[in-house]
Amino acid sequence: MANKQATVKWTLRGDVGIHPAAAEILAIDWAAENAGEVDIADQTAGSTVVTIPFGAIGTEATCFWLKNTTNQDLTLKVSGANNGFRMPPGSTIIYATPVAAGGSTKLTAATVTTTATMDGAQVVTFGILGDPV
Amino acid sequence: MSNNITKITSKARGQGSISQFVELIVPWTQESGGVIPVPDGTSDGTEYSIPFGSVEAEATFFFVKNSTGASLAIRMNGVATGWSVPNGASLLYQAPSSVTLGEGMDTALTQASVVTNVLQDGDGSVEFLVLSAPEG
């Protein structure tokens, strides 16, 4: 199976104009994908770990996109390690690499953890590309 | 100082079914951005702090791009995260609001650093941009 290619672009506009360090276009090779929403039920307890499904991506992610679409702060772990800070509602984290990381530090798993009892049924939105050949 | 308003657009498009579009309004009052040189011959395991400058309370936008030629590890708030950023790769975090402060590691983003994974071969650099939490 040949690689497919995605383009990841982010642009920061506003009072600082377009910052050169944040006007990025990256070409990402990938052969497997998974994307969607993960449900977090109403009244889910605080400190509940919710797995982000990598689906058919078995080797490593070359693009990882996650948005906290719940109504509470979440903590994120990637490849089993704490991310070191909370993600508030509406926040997004994006990782994109034009080359595979390989080795022991490749991105292979992610989870989010609730920080309080969930108020209403909520979802986390995600997109993952990976396993370039 | 009143808040500045910045619109951040992130897109992921290409072959396959994934087509993501994110647009956030990120208020901010302070910024710190630039390039950190990583000289030829820098030892494996060398840590470079990302300057937050006047961003003291909380980063609501954080961007780092690795242009060293080798992979880098990322530390957030002193924590060794699972992010390993290969050469040419970027990590971007953006938040439209502040976090609700917790305890221990469950806190706001206030510091970050990159760590070399190998002996640096040739001069390299790390680009970064940090924007602060909103006022009020």
Side-chain angles (χ1 to χ4, degrees):
Chain A
M1 180 180 179
N3 281 330
K4 298 174 182 178
Q5 194 169 72
T7 301
V8 177
K9 177 182 180 181
W10 45 66
T11 306
L12 186 152
R13 301 175 189 271
D15 298 347
V16 295
I18 299 176
H19 196 288
E24 290 287 330
I25 300 176
L26 296 177
I28 310 300
D29 290 333
W30 61 280
E33 65 176 295
N34 200 34
E37 297 177 342
V38 179
D39 294 327
I40 303 179
D42 183 24
Q43 296 302 307
T44 296
S47 300
T48 298
V49 177
V50 179
T51 298
I52 306 301
F54 273 47
I57 300 166
T59 304
E60 78 169 282
T62 47
C63 181
F64 176 86
W65 177 93
L66 182 137
K67 183 173 185 179
N68 178 2
T69 39
T70 75
N71 56 8
Q72 67 167 246
D73 291 353
L74 297 174
T75 56
L76 171 69
K77 285 189 176 183
V78 293
S79 297
N82 194 301
N83 204 42
F85 66 94
R86 287 186 174 199
M87 293 180 63
S91 63
T92 301
I93 195 161
I94 304 172
Y95 164 80
T97 177
V99 297
S104 61
T105 54
K106 59 191 178 186
L107 177 54
T108 56
T111 63
V112 293
T113 303
T114 58
T115 57
T117 301
M118 192 60 69
D119 181 11
Q122 306 288 326
V123 297
V124 173
T125 310
F126 71 97
I128 310 169
L129 305 174
D131 287 2
V133 292
Chain B
M1 178 187 290
S2 61
N3 287 328
N4 296 303
I5 301 295
T6 290
K7 180 185 291 185
I8 296 166
T9 304
S10 305
K11 297 178 182 177
R13 288 180 175 165
Q15 298 162 308
S17 60
I18 289 180
S19 180
Q20 303 282 6
F21 179 83
V22 181
E23 187 169 85
L24 289 177
I25 302 298
V26 177
W28 60 279
T29 55
Q30 304 292 335
E31 69 170 308
S32 178
V35 178
I36 300 172
V38 181
D40 181 28
T42 298
S43 301
D44 174 14
T46 301
E47 184 169 1
Y48 290 90
S49 293
I50 305 296
F52 274 42
S54 56
V55 179
E56 296 176 346
E58 174 181 0
T60 46
F61 177 91
F62 174 82
F63 170 86
V64 64
K65 181 178 181 180
N66 177 4
S67 300
T68 65
S71 71
L72 293 170
I74 304 289
R75 287 179 174 264
M76 302 284 199
N77 289 342
V79 175
T81 69
W83 300 112
S84 179
V85 181
N87 180 52
S90 295
L91 181 66
L92 182 150
Y93 164 73
Q94 51 197 10
S97 62
S98 300
V99 302
T100 302
L101 291 180
E103 298 178 350
M105 290 189 296
D106 292 343
T107 186
L109 177 58
T110 57
Q111 57 175 295
S113 60
V114 295
V115 184
T116 57
N117 285 327
V118 296
L119 177 68
Q120 181 66 30
D121 183 11
D123 290 336
S125 63
V126 175
E127 301 168 53
F128 69 95
L129 178 63
V130 186
L131 302 178
S132 74
E135 291 182 340

